[in-house]
Amino acid sequence: MTTPERVRVFQVATGNLGTEMIDRIRHHPDLELVGLHCYTPDKIGRDAGEIVGIGPVGVIATGTVEEIIAARPDVLTFHGVFPDEDLYVQVLEAGINIVTTADWITGFHRDTNHPHHSGRKVSEVIAEACAKGGATFYGTGMNPGLAQILGIVHTADVAEIENVTVTESVDVSCHHSVDTWKAVGYGLPVDDPSIPDSLYKYTAVFADSVYLMADAFDLELDEVTFSYELGACTKDVDLGWYQLPAGSLGGSCIKYQGMVDGVPRVESHLEWQMTPHTDPSWNIQACYITQVTGDPNIYSKHMIFPRKGFDLSKPENFASIGMTVTGLPALNSIRSVVAAPPGIVTSADLPLRSFAGRFKL
């Protein structure tokens, strides 16, 4: 690392997650924000703090990979919605580590459903770039990411495991991303034939989450299956930022199940609700649940509450909590990623301290 006290961070993107992370990086004791890469032309040349609404921070947004490399950061944090694999390769080959929250955990989903334009597997291309530059590449987040780490550690006191299931049970109406929900079919008639393929396309990274857990358990899976249930709105719903007509998709339950000899052993479930007025509906618990069947059985809830005095009267403040818990597993891992050997690493490869937060002193 070029700076022994603080890791030099160059961030990519200022969408919902990236906006939250600019300020989080500035106040993280391990990190120093040295650059911001933007794809939107009208953001380039502006102060990063002004872009995200916190006032000037002295970092000017740029728009080329060459400017990222010239800044010589220790790590690039990528918070775009979808990976930019061409950017990844150039940055890794220049010897800059990458931590990303964009659709990457083990590489299975990218290799299976999004082949590289060269025709090769994406994971092979990225691994080659890591080797060339001596850099490390790591994907994480809340889910997939921390939720699976919690699933793994909850088995530490269990013998003869039969099944491990991690469930995200959340009301998603606070996530004001119209493009996201249009992509997965929310608001379309529940019998629209495009919905199943869209749900799979944009959630298939959860197959990676199953493979990650299975790898930690030394469990070889035969396959990871995908199944779903759809909840139709029982009345017109106007969320202010999104409209859901009666009969349209307003909730869903998605399951990715790791199978061994026809038996589900490791599972990731997604219970998403845009409105409680759906049929069927689910008992949304606003948390992440780990269930382990074995000797003994384990049931654990990871519940997230705002800090004391936090103003929840504004929807954007409520949404920022979700962005915080998505981005902080990435920021807190950075020092360990920078210290890790070159190559693609997963959470199973990193030390326990990679998942530790930092005290405010």
Side-chain angles (χ1 to χ4, degrees), residues 102-327:
D103 202 12
W104 184 288
I105 299 296
T106 69
F108 170 82
H109 163 54
R110 302 309 301 181
D111 286 348
T112 304
N113 301 307
H114 299 276
H116 193 259
H117 54 74
S118 67
R120 301 168 61 198
K121 289 184 176 181
V122 176
S123 60
E124 292 177 354
V125 173
I126 290 180
E128 184 178 275
C130 289
K132 183 175 181 179
T136 306
F137 182 88
Y138 175 56
T140 189
M142 179 62 224
N143 189 32
L146 179 57
Q148 286 68 49
I149 297 165
L150 294 172
I152 293 165
V153 300
H154 274 97
T155 68
D157 54 354
V158 179
E160 300 177 356
I161 299 170
E162 296 176 17
N163 178 277
V164 178
T165 297
V166 174
T167 301
E168 177 180 272
S169 182
V170 294
D171 184 316
V172 296
S173 63
C174 66
H175 184 50
H176 295 186
S177 175
V178 172
D179 290 343
T180 296
W181 299 114
K182 280 185 176 179
V184 294
Y186 274 62
L188 291 177
V190 75
D191 58 356
D192 189 298
S194 69
I195 289 176
D197 286 346
S198 295
L199 281 176
Y200 175 74
K201 178 179 180 181
Y202 292 106
T203 66
V205 70
F206 287 94
D208 282 60
S209 74
V210 173
Y211 280 112
L212 170 63
M213 290 189 287
D215 177 58
F217 299 134
D218 289 329
L219 181 67
E220 185 174 348
L221 301 176
D222 297 328
E223 62 174 335
V224 175
T225 63
F226 165 74
S227 61
Y228 60 90
E229 292 181 79
L230 305 179
C233 293
T234 55
K235 64 178 184 178
D236 291 343
V237 176
D238 186 351
L239 298 172
W241 63 276
Y242 207 68
Q243 284 70 46
L244 301 164
S248 70
L249 179 63
S252 57
C253 179
I254 299 168
K255 296 181 180 180
Y256 284 90
Q257 298 177 295
M259 310 296 289
V260 179
D261 295 330
V263 178
R265 295 295 191 181
V266 182
E267 308 183 44
S268 282
H269 296 182
L270 309 169
E271 295 177 351
W272 289 346
Q273 170 185 283
M274 192 74 77
T275 171
H277 305 293
T278 65
D279 182 21
S281 61
W282 292 268
N283 179 26
I284 299 301
Q285 300 187 56
C287 63
Y288 295 85
I289 303 165
T290 297
Q291 294 174 272
V292 182
T293 305
D295 180 18
N297 296 319
I298 303 293
Y299 182 92
S300 176
K301 287 184 175 181
H302 183 71
M303 305 188 75
I304 299 163
F305 301 94
R307 68 177 185 271
K308 184 178 180 180
F310 190 71
D311 180 9
L312 288 179
S313 64
K314 299 178 180 178
E316 59 269 24
N317 286 0
F318 190 87
S320 76
I321 299 172
M323 298 302 102
T324 297
V325 301
T326 298

